[in-house]
Structure formats: C-alpha cells, structure tokens
Amino acid sequence: MSRAILFLSCLFFVTATVTFAQNAPKSQVAKIQQAPAAMLNSTFVKTEGTHFTLRGQPYYYIGANFWYDAYLGAEADYGGRERLTRELDRLHDLGVDNLRIAASSEESVFSKPLSPPFQYKHGTYNDTLFRGLDFLLVEMGKRDMKAVLFLNNYWDWTGGMAQ
C-alpha cells in the first residue's frame, strides 16, 4: 500500500511540474533550465535512504506550517511584507529553518474557499500571488531557511484534490 501511495505522489508531482512548465512564461522556464547544476546540488535537500542530506551532510530541521506566507508577500490589500519579514525573523530566531508553504490553490466551488486562489478556473493564474511567493522565497533565502512547497492537499478550502 505505501509503495502505491509513494508512486501516485511522485506521479502527481511530475505531472504538476510538467503542467507548470508547459503553462509557465518562457522566461521563467529558461531561468530554471539555466540554473547551474552546482547551485542546485548545494541548495536542495536530498535523501539518502531514509535520511535527509544537504551538501552531502546529514540535514536535521525544525519546521512549521506557514501556509499563508505567499499571501503576506503579495503586494495586495491582503498582503503584509513587513509582517512577513518580522515573522520570518522571529521564526529564524527560534531555530525554525524549514517552512511548509502553499504554492498552489484552485478556485473552488466549495464553501469558504481560499481567496484569491493561485489558479482561477480555466487555467489562468494569479500573478500577484506568485510574485508574493517569489518575495517569500528570497526572504527565506536571506535567512538560510528551506521551503516545502505544497501544490495540493485534501482540504476543500484550497480547492484540494476534489477540485
């Protein structure tokens, strides 16, 4: 059973990545493709067996669910960049160096959906939120923090698997 779940999770991740690459602006795809392999190898957490590694060394972390921070990073009436940087500083001071953050949500027919979503119906995207996500990731990088980006989940308020 666990192998099936792992396989389906990997399949979903690959499908989502390919879909993003197909729909992303050409300039963003080109930047990702041109990233030096040495940089990618030095900044991404990897696995060796059942352990995480970073730059070939064991990687241990203290993490938190901070799903709404791309919203705080957005230059919009719902944003709050000063609050975001203050909260990142506080988390960093507490030793939190890994955050789980929303990198996607879909416009939903469910009651009380997350608004605005990252993706509207018919595949149009909310560029304001993606720029908020970019701001967040840059700020996290300044603090040597890592992100786990979730693209979907089972919560109706984010659109979720059912959407």
Side-chain angles (χ1 to χ4, degrees):
M1 182 67 169
S2 63
R3 286 184 183 177
I5 292 171
L6 178 62
F7 172 76
L8 291 174
S9 298
C10 291
L11 180 62
F12 172 77
F13 179 74
V14 169
T15 302
T17 303
V18 169
T19 302
F20 171 77
Q22 289 172 342
N23 295 322
K26 300 285 187 231
S27 61
Q28 287 181 350
V29 174
K31 285 180 188 175
I32 293 168
Q33 290 171 340
Q34 295 171 1
M39 182 198 77
L40 295 177
N41 287 333
S42 68
T43 59
F44 283 87
V45 176
K46 297 179 180 184
T47 59
E48 282 187 25
T50 58
H51 298 87
F52 292 117
T53 62
L54 179 62
R55 298 178 190 98
Q57 300 297 316
Y59 176 70
Y60 302 97
Y61 64 91
I62 298 173
N65 185 25
F66 196 40
W67 65 268
Y68 59 90
D69 39 4
Y71 286 82
L72 289 178
E75 291 186 297
D77 59 345
Y78 53 83
R81 287 185 170 183
E82 288 181 26
R83 174 182 165 190
L84 174 63
T85 57
R86 192 173 55 247
E87 289 186 15
L88 288 174
D89 286 340
R90 181 70 177 132
L91 288 165
H92 183 263
D93 290 347
L94 291 170
V96 174
D97 55 1
N98 196 303
L99 299 175
R100 177 184 181 268
I101 58 178
S104 181
S105 61
E106 299 83 24
E107 190 170 21
S108 175
V109 297
F110 298 111
S111 63
K112 298 181 182 178
L114 186 58
S115 181
F118 278 87
Q119 180 178 331
Y120 297 101
K121 292 180 182 173
H122 311 295
T124 57
Y125 296 94
N126 182 335
D127 289 335
T128 302
L129 267 179
F130 281 108
R131 284 191 297 276
L133 180 61
D134 288 343
F135 179 83
L136 163 68
L137 294 174
V138 167
E139 290 298 315
M140 288 177 67
K142 291 176 183 177
R143 294 160 181 82
D144 197 28
M145 298 173 88
K146 304 292 181 203
V148 175
L149 305 174
F150 73 86
L151 303 176
N152 205 336
N153 58 35
Y154 286 98
W155 293 102
D156 291 346
W157 57 270
T158 63
M161 294 288 192
Q163 191 62 38

